[in-house]
Amino acid sequence: MSVSNPGPTATYSIWCVATAPYRREVDIFSQFDLGREVSLLKACLAQEHQFEVAFGEFDSDENLDALTWGEIRLIPFLFRKLEHSGISTPRFSIYKGIYTKFWYVHKMEREPTALLLFSALGEFDLLFLKGAALQKLVYIGDPVTRPVDDIDILVRPKDRILVIEKLLQEGFEPDQVWPREITTNLKMSIGLSNQSHHVDVHWGLYPSAGKSDPVEQLYERPIRTTTGIHDLPTLSISDHLLHNLIHGHAKNQVSPIRWVLDCALLATHPKNDWSLLTATATDWGWQRAAKAQLNVLRSGYQVDIPNHVFDGLETGNSSVPL
């Protein structure tokens, strides 16, 4: 396998991006390289006997110095696969350095943030979303392979103002300047930060065209993780999968390729209940977007999605347009 040496400039540049304290404060890249994104994802998802070829296609990219933040966040997962494979590459130290940096951020910033939330918001019903929960449910044993920029929590809509006020008392400040009335009544979430602690408080997910309230339904069937200092209250595997499918469908200033790896692992998780996902997506009016996203996983990345799932996702009215 022929690999070009990226040299010290690439090492320094990638390291600087990876060590950015918080992605929202950094605006380095404006264009996404879809070809490189696809090759990176295929390397992450490759079976053991396919990994060397898939990794070689990504690793031979001479423009590796231009990795976007969305791509960099996949490197820790790729590094672990590379380490276990025993494949040699001149860029090994670069990949290891990025993993090590995310390890530091996880231990020194993200875990303390979760503990702070348990302490400050213990009186409220919280459900942990996205990365912080997936670290415990899917990326078990090595949470660093699922980097987290902030901690996402879901709260009951009636508690949203009290939760925000509690975090403000703890020294958090809103990431954006919005009048309180607009934020709490017209939006579904707010980002708050306190030095290295970053939290997204959600009291809604996405507009629903169905008759049911998604938030209330999620609170009717929470689960708890079984690892870590505290058990995290969170969503079921199937609810996480549906949420991440729809979240990845939306536009994002950071390339949203994270959803592909997260959803591929959730879709093949032994506790995933396809019947629950199809029923929920249809009930909430998310079936068309969910079907489109699942088709990307199956046709583009060979993720095993049964035919009956597509049959169960009727294409009626949907509040999440294609």
Side-chain angles (χ1 to χ4, degrees):
M1 180 173 63
S2 176
V3 181
S4 59
N5 192 322
T9 301
T11 305
Y12 176 75
S13 177
I14 293 176
W15 182 262
C16 286
V17 177
T19 56
Y22 192 49
R23 176 56 187 160
R24 291 178 180 177
E25 300 172 359
V26 182
D27 185 17
I28 299 178
F29 306 105
S30 59
Q31 301 295 324
F32 303 144
D33 185 334
L34 297 181
R36 187 176 60 232
E37 288 184 352
V38 171
S39 66
L40 172 56
L41 285 167
K42 287 187 174 181
C44 288
L45 292 170
Q47 299 296 320
E48 185 174 353
H49 67 282
Q50 302 169 323
F51 179 71
E52 183 170 6
V53 173
F55 172 74
E57 291 181 2
F58 167 73
D59 191 51
S60 62
D61 190 332
E62 295 182 358
N63 200 32
L64 197 61
D65 188 31
L67 287 177
T68 65
W69 184 244
E71 293 167 323
I72 286 175
R73 295 200 307 166
L74 295 181
I75 295 300
F77 186 88
L78 180 70
F79 168 72
R80 276 305 192 199
K81 295 193 68 167
L82 174 64
E83 188 177 46
H84 293 155
S85 73
I87 297 172
S88 177
T89 170
R91 291 185 170 123
F92 184 86
S93 61
I94 297 177
Y95 300 136
K96 183 177 181 179
I98 294 174
Y99 174 91
T100 302
K101 175 58 185 181
F102 278 117
W103 179 90
Y104 175 86
V105 171
H106 175 74
K107 290 295 184 182
M108 303 304 294
E109 298 180 6
R110 301 300 171 254
E111 283 191 342
T113 299
L115 293 175
L116 187 154
L117 292 176
F118 275 112
S119 175
L121 304 177
E123 63 190 282
F124 301 101
D125 289 331
L126 308 180
L127 292 179
F128 284 75
L129 305 174
K130 298 166 58 178
L134 296 183
Q135 286 179 337
K136 307 293 185 181
L137 292 173
V138 178
Y139 299 84
I140 300 173
D142 197 353
V144 181
T145 57
R146 185 23 175 117
V148 174
D149 289 336
D150 48 31
I151 304 295
D152 290 86
I153 58 173
L154 180 67
V155 302
R156 295 183 184 274
K158 66 180 180 63
D159 293 332
R160 66 193 189 284
I161 295 177
L162 293 176
V163 168
I164 293 171
E165 290 179 346
K166 189 71 173 179
L167 290 174
L168 292 175
Q169 293 172 10
E170 293 290 332
F172 283 81
E173 296 181 356
D175 292 336
Q176 295 181 335
V177 180
W178 289 91
R180 177 92 49 97
E181 293 76 12
I182 292 179
T183 300
T184 56
N185 292 317
L186 301 182
K187 297 172 68 69
M188 294 186 177
S189 66
I190 184 174
L192 302 107
S193 299
N194 178 1
Q195 298 182 11
S196 63
H197 302 297
H198 308 288
V199 180
D200 273 355
V201 180
H202 304 259
W203 51 90
L205 298 179
Y206 296 95
S208 172
K211 298 179 181 179
S212 303
D213 181 354
V215 174
E216 286 304 314
Q217 281 200 357
L218 292 175
Y219 269 99
E220 291 174 359
R221 54 183 189 237
I223 65 171
R224 302 186 74 89
T225 62
T226 56
T227 58
I229 300 176
H230 289 277
D231 287 346
L232 298 182
T234 186
L235 314 183
S236 69
I237 294 294
S238 304
D239 287 334
H240 270 297
L241 175 54
L242 179 58
H243 177 227
N244 279 272
L245 287 170
I246 305 302
H247 186 269
H249 189 269
K251 293 181 180 179
N252 197 307
Q253 65 180 12
V254 176
S255 183
I257 59 173
R258 177 86 250 175
W259 79 268
V260 176
L261 181 56
D262 286 346
C263 290
L265 298 179
L266 286 164
T268 54
H269 194 283
K271 292 187 177 181
N272 177 35
D273 183 347
W274 284 116
S275 61
L276 175 61
L277 183 142
T278 56
T280 303
T282 302
D283 189 26
W284 295 353
W286 296 354
Q287 64 271 35
R288 292 180 62 206
K291 186 174 183 179
Q293 295 290 80
L294 290 172
N295 187 57
V296 170
L297 291 179
R298 186 164 75 168
S299 62
Y301 300 97
Q302 290 71 57
V303 179
D304 185 17
I305 313 291
N307 288 330
H308 70 79
V309 176
F310 293 93
D311 296 336
L313 290 170
E314 299 296 335
T315 56
N317 293 328
S318 174
S319 61
V320 184
L322 294 176

